[in-house]
Amino acid sequence: MDNEDVGRTRRGKEALHASVPKEQVPNAPPRRRGRGRGRGRGRREELGGSSSQSQIDIEMPSSQSASGSQPPSVGVVQEGYDGGPSNMSLLPSFGQHIAAKIWNGGGRENTPRVLNNGKRIIDLKSALPPDVAAMGWFWNVIRASGLYPLLETNYGQVDHGLLIAFSLRWHSETSSFHLPVGEMTIALDDISCLLHIPVGGNLLFHESLSIHQGTEYLVNYLGLEFEEIAAETKRLKSAHITYDTLLSIYTSYLTEAKSYANQPGEEDSMEWYRTRCIRAFLLYLVGCTLFSDKAGSSCCVVYLKYFDELTTVNQWSWGATALAFLYNYLGDFTKPSCTSLSGYTCLMQAWIYEHFPDICPRDLDISYTEDRPRATRYMLRQGHAIQQCYRKALDRLEVDDIRRRTSFGFQGG
């Protein structure tokens, strides 16, 4: 077993499962040209290249014959796509997938973006005052919440071309990436091993908040003045608060909590500021990581409800909810009209590093130890400037290029 394959752990313990290909296609049948029932018929261009080794060849029904007409139009129900899905009942929305538009010779009108707020957490951690490290009332609660590892699992930048190339292969119906060797997905075991955050417990359940409800959340959970904070939520036109404002609230409450620490008879005031300081910190932490949305510079305040009782934060399944959150944004990104990928993109980057060691450049942190989140093992290097390079690499992907888990440890890689 190579050194690089040793030590994937879940909170210091060996994990038994991982993201593995759902389907293997070792010997694909010979390529046949087929036709559908749409307005046009023809041969699909490869998503990332034209190499015959880079695709899953799917045998079409014998009743279909070759045709020299155009490919089917986007959105038209098809019996099958040459070189793509053959049973459209499994992928009913494929006609609206960005892959279908690329097939027709199109693409996105604007260059897509990948949002990442990981640098905010890196800057937050590096800017902590020296005396904060000794404040047990603060760090004991943060560690007990189960969310402390999120301070370490971020990258200052992510490889946009790499993440976009993978996202183009996502299908919401199967919640997986469709690769030449089969299907793979980010699993709960990956969350546990890469991030070391809770994946069991109660599922987060909430509905979207109105602007007024969001303002009330900020008043009730953070003790802000209604009129003052209402101006911000109204300006944002949503139940959001900007990262800058949230960071300012955290730092001001931290200062107040420390000022009351040595004042006799001010225990209640001190506890009031401590509680709301921690809530602001935790909202900033999950807002920049697990639940980073398309707003970019702000986060939703609905997660404050889960910080009402600070002693029960670790009882919520943060990992499962974050995974569903990322799945949702991956699904949105496959729509031709979508121009940005959000969710915890640092997690997706770490997952690719873990399972596809040769597809992109990255360095290993020599100070990494097995008790730390697996995502901290990797150090980002500059990748390809354009996604086409990665798309062609994915087209050429073979089974041996994937590092996968079994109960006996890593295989491959």
Side-chain angles (χ1 to χ4, degrees), residues 162-365:
L162 177 67
L163 298 187
I164 291 174
F166 266 86
S167 299
L168 292 176
R169 291 181 171 272
W170 179 263
H171 289 272
S172 296
E173 290 91 346
T174 58
S175 295
S176 61
F177 300 99
H178 289 211
L179 304 171
V181 295
E183 298 174 34
M184 285 188 70
T185 195
I186 306 173
L188 282 177
D189 183 75
D190 292 301
I191 301 290
S192 182
C193 294
L194 293 170
L195 304 183
H196 283 197
I197 63 173
V199 296
N202 303 319
L203 293 177
L204 280 68
F205 178 79
H206 52 262
E207 297 179 353
S208 299
L209 300 179
S210 65
I211 297 176
H212 181 78
Q213 290 173 323
T215 304
E216 290 184 332
Y217 265 51
L218 293 169
V219 172
N220 295 334
Y221 293 111
L222 296 184
L224 305 177
E225 293 293 334
F226 186 92
E227 292 76 11
E228 179 182 353
I229 199 61
E232 174 151 337
T233 55
K234 183 178 180 179
R235 177 176 60 83
L236 295 175
K237 300 180 180 179
S238 63
H240 277 60
I241 183 172
T242 63
Y243 292 120
D244 292 340
T245 300
L246 192 56
L247 187 60
S248 175
I249 294 170
Y250 150 71
T251 54
S252 64
Y253 282 0
L254 181 63
T255 301
E256 292 292 337
K258 290 190 293 184
S259 68
Y260 281 108
N262 299 320
Q263 296 184 26
E266 296 292 345
E267 289 79 8
D268 290 343
S269 297
M270 178 185 67
E271 189 62 28
W272 190 94
Y273 279 108
R274 283 183 174 182
T275 299
R276 285 150 184 80
C277 172
I278 294 173
R279 286 176 183 165
F281 182 88
L282 289 174
L283 179 60
Y284 189 88
L285 183 60
V286 300
C288 288
T289 55
L290 304 181
F291 308 119
S292 178
D293 59 27
K294 293 182 179 180
S297 60
S298 64
C299 65
C300 185
V301 304
V302 71
Y303 304 104
L304 281 171
K305 66 180 290 186
Y306 304 104
F307 306 136
D308 183 22
E309 293 292 336
L310 295 176
T311 57
T312 63
V313 175
N314 64 348
Q315 297 179 13
W316 296 101
S317 182
W318 297 99
T321 309
L323 189 58
F325 193 84
L326 179 59
Y327 280 10
N328 181 62
Y329 275 112
L330 283 169
D332 285 346
F333 191 72
T334 62
K335 300 174 183 177
S337 60
C338 184
T339 58
S340 61
L341 173 64
S342 192
Y344 195 13
T345 51
C346 289
L347 164 64
M348 185 175 171
Q349 181 91 44
W351 179 80
I352 296 172
Y353 281 163
E354 183 72 15
H355 293 286
F356 303 86
D358 299 323
I359 203 168
C360 60
R362 84 278 195 276
D363 293 324
L364 302 179
D365 185 355

Side-chain angles (χ1 to χ4, degrees), residues 149-166:
L150 293 177
L151 288 168
E152 303 179 346
T153 57
N154 301 284
Y155 307 116
Q157 60 179 356
V158 292
D159 192 331
H160 288 220
L162 177 67
L163 298 187
I164 291 174
F166 266 86

